[in-house]
Amino acid sequence: MVEKQTAGRDHLGKLAPKFAELNDDVLFGQVWSREDKLSARDRSMITIAALFSAGLYPQLKAHLEIGKRHGISKEEAVELVTQLAFYCGWPKAWSTFPMIEEVWGSEEA
């Protein structure tokens, strides 16, 4: 089950309240909760791939953490980044592997 998201309101609630509402209630509320259509784990894999390809590292790290909570293993994260390196860029992989190490720590890959 997808947990209630408050990052939009926490970080942008005063500056951009409508954006924060859409982030928390629509994207993470209505879209991510459609687990009968696509699991939260699969949504995390897709989101990680999209953020990796765009080089959006602050959001990527956050979604690696979310992906871990949704059941993505360290080994799967490493394999995902290795696959994406060939399609999206080798330097992006070099930038992402340290994030995987931070998120999963010393867990076996």
Side-chain angles (χ1 to χ4, degrees):
M1 181 170 153
V2 177
E3 62 197 54
K4 172 85 171 116
Q5 182 62 254
T6 62
R9 287 180 176 88
D10 293 347
H11 297 284
L12 298 172
K14 290 182 181 177
L15 174 64
K18 186 62 177 180
F19 182 89
E21 174 191 337
L22 292 169
N23 182 81
D24 296 350
D25 300 342
V26 178
L27 174 58
F28 284 98
Q30 296 173 23
V31 176
W32 274 81
S33 68
R34 294 164 40 101
E35 292 190 61
D36 60 320
K37 308 291 183 208
L38 203 59
S39 72
R41 184 183 179 284
D42 289 347
R43 287 181 194 278
S44 282
M45 290 282 245
I46 293 164
T47 302
I48 289 166
L51 294 170
F52 177 96
S53 71
L56 299 171
Y57 300 112
Q59 293 87 357
L60 176 57
K61 184 168 184 228
H63 278 277
L64 287 168
E65 292 167 350
I66 292 168
K68 181 181 179 184
R69 290 195 303 271
H70 290 160
I72 296 171
S73 69
K74 184 177 187 178
E75 180 179 51
E76 290 170 322
V78 167
E79 192 62 26
L80 175 61
V81 169
T82 301
Q83 175 80 16
L84 290 169
F86 287 91
Y87 293 93
C88 303
W90 207 256
K92 289 177 181 175
W94 275 95
S95 295
T96 303
F97 285 124
M99 286 185 249
I100 291 172
E101 196 66 45
E102 279 183 54
V103 171
W104 277 270
S106 61
E107 290 180 26
E108 289 290 318

